[in-house]
């Protein structure tokens, strides 16, 4: 299945303590250690060299700027061609923009396809099939409409020397697609901040921006990477409280975060 930085504590607590678990590409936090100690986690990898040590059977963090997919591929599937291809793709920060095949695979995941179905197909050497094509086409229609709507709520605020672009997004949009849409729509925006109705918040930035987004996400009990992170605000986001929520986020940044 998929774990999410913005709700990691809750999702870890839901894991059956007797089920063997492998976790990739999640940067742990010290607060998660008590939960993790109760679980049967066989392997945990992160590409963050500064991540705290986690009490699991095998904890692996990069020393050569490799991503978590590369670490796991080299350890468990060193000669498997599908794994090598996926690991190389995962290494790219903007993997969803690296060719048509990568884009379609990313959109298929966003369509909420059953992870087991996708993993089984990849394990059998198939990147694509008729069922994937059908789900992909259905998703594209919804995605196009959602991307057009996202700009209607765009609100730009100033924080220090950076412009923050806030927008409300449909749940069908990935944080990558929603965030990139905002960055592409306005060259003056340095950081996109996407709000979802369920209270999820996503941060994404331009490559040249110096802000560490993981530190910002941690203010809201979230996490992620320096260039892309997420959290949960613990409340639903509506048209009525959208502007108030933006003000609350800006206030928290000014009170707790400086470059």
């Amino acid at each position: 299945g998929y774990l999410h930085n913005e709700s990691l504590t809750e999702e870890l607590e839901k894991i059956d303590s007797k089920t063997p678990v492998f976790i990739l590409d999640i940067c742990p936090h010290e607060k998660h250690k008590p939960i993790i100690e109760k679980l049967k986690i066989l392997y945990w990898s992160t590409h963050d060299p500064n991540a705290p040590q986690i009490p699991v059977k095998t904890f692996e963090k990069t020393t050569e700027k490799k991503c978590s997919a590369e670490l796991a591929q080299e350890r468990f599937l060193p000669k498997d061609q599908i794994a090598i291809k996926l690991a190389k793709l995962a290494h790219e920060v903007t993997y969803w923009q690296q060719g048509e095949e990568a884009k379609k695979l990313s959109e298929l995941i966003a369509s909420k396809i059953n992870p087991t179905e996708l993993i089984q197909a990849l394990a059998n050497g198939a990147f694509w099939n008729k069922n994937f094509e059908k789900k992909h086409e259905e998703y594209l229609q919804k995605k196009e409409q959602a991307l057009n709507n996202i700009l209607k709520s765009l609100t730009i605020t100033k924080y220090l020397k950076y412009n923050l672009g806030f927008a409300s997004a449909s749940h069908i949009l990935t944080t990558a697609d929603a965030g990139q849409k905002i960055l592409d729509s306005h060259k003056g925006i340095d950081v996109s901040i996407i709000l979802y109705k369920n209270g999820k918040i996503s941060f994404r930035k331009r490559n040249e921006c110096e802000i560490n987004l993981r530190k910002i996400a941690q203010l809201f009990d979230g996490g992620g990477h320096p260039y892309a992170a997420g959290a949960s605000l613990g409340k639903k986001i509506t048209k009525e409280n959208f502007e108030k929520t933006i003000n609350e986020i800006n206030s928290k940044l000014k009170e707790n975060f400086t470059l």
Side-chain angles (χ1 to χ4, degrees):
Y2 305 117
L3 292 175
H4 307 84
N5 285 301
E6 65 273 6
S7 51
L8 185 58
T9 300
E10 179 183 352
E11 291 173 349
L12 285 174
E13 290 175 340
K14 289 181 178 179
I15 296 177
D16 186 340
S17 61
K18 298 180 181 179
T19 301
V21 180
F22 291 73
I23 297 180
L24 274 66
D25 200 28
I26 293 290
C27 182
H29 193 281
E30 291 285 350
K31 68 179 182 181
H32 294 132
K33 286 187 177 181
I35 304 174
I36 293 168
E37 288 173 348
K38 300 176 183 179
L39 302 178
K40 192 177 181 180
I41 300 178
L42 303 183
Y43 177 80
W44 188 312
S45 70
T46 172
H47 75 279
D48 185 354
N50 300 314
Q53 187 71 29
I54 287 295
V56 299
K57 189 174 182 63
T58 301
F59 181 67
E60 192 167 32
K61 52 186 176 181
T62 185
T63 56
E64 301 174 0
K65 295 186 177 180
K66 293 178 180 178
C67 72
S68 291
E70 289 175 302
L71 294 175
Q73 177 265 313
E74 291 177 359
R75 175 177 287 273
F76 300 111
L77 298 163
K79 296 182 180 180
D80 186 275
Q81 293 305 306
I82 295 293
I84 291 172
K85 185 174 183 178
L86 288 173
K88 182 179 179 181
L89 180 63
H91 183 79
E92 301 290 339
V93 174
T94 54
Y95 65 91
W96 69 94
Q97 296 176 324
Q98 306 302 314
E100 190 62 27
E101 191 173 51
K103 184 178 180 181
K104 290 177 70 175
L105 198 57
S106 173
E107 289 169 336
L108 181 64
I109 294 173
S111 72
K112 309 302 181 187
I113 189 172
N114 186 327
T116 303
E117 182 181 353
L118 176 58
I119 292 170
Q120 187 61 57
L122 292 170
N124 291 331
F127 268 78
W128 210 251
N129 59 38
K130 291 183 178 179
N131 185 45
F132 290 177
E133 185 65 31
K134 179 182 177 182
K135 289 184 178 293
H136 181 249
E137 289 178 356
E138 293 173 349
Y139 174 74
L140 283 184
Q141 295 178 7
K142 298 176 182 178
K143 174 184 175 181
E144 188 63 29
Q145 183 61 47
L147 284 175
N148 290 334
N149 289 336
I150 196 174
L151 295 179
K152 296 178 182 179
S153 63
L154 178 60
T155 301
I156 302 175
T157 67
K158 189 81 172 182
Y159 176 65
L160 300 177
K161 62 179 180 179
Y162 296 107
N163 290 316
L164 310 180
F166 290 85
S168 175
S170 165
H171 71 279
I172 71 167
L173 289 178
T174 66
T175 57
D177 281 331
Q180 198 62 42
K181 180 67 174 180
I182 296 303
L183 294 177
D184 290 344
S185 70
H186 198 299
K187 293 182 179 179
I189 295 176
D190 301 294
V191 178
S192 66
I193 302 178
I194 306 299
L195 303 174
Y196 292 86
K197 290 182 179 179
N198 63 0
K200 184 172 76 172
I201 180 171
S202 168
F203 305 91
R204 192 165 291 270
K205 70 174 184 176
R206 296 190 186 280
N207 291 337
E208 60 272 17
C209 180
E210 298 172 354
I211 292 179
N212 185 329
L213 297 184
R214 181 170 60 219
K215 291 183 178 180
I216 291 183
Q218 287 174 344
L219 294 178
F220 304 92
D221 202 27
H225 308 302
Y227 48 82
S232 178
L233 298 177
K235 66 176 182 179
K236 291 185 178 181
I237 306 300
T238 65
K239 290 182 179 179
E240 290 72 26
N241 70 8
F242 180 69
E243 186 174 344
K244 181 181 179 182
T245 302
I246 291 177
N247 292 333
E248 290 173 351
I249 294 170
N250 279 328
S251 295
K252 198 159 190 176
L253 287 176
K254 292 176 181 177
E255 291 172 6
N256 299 282
F257 187 80
T258 58
L259 294 178

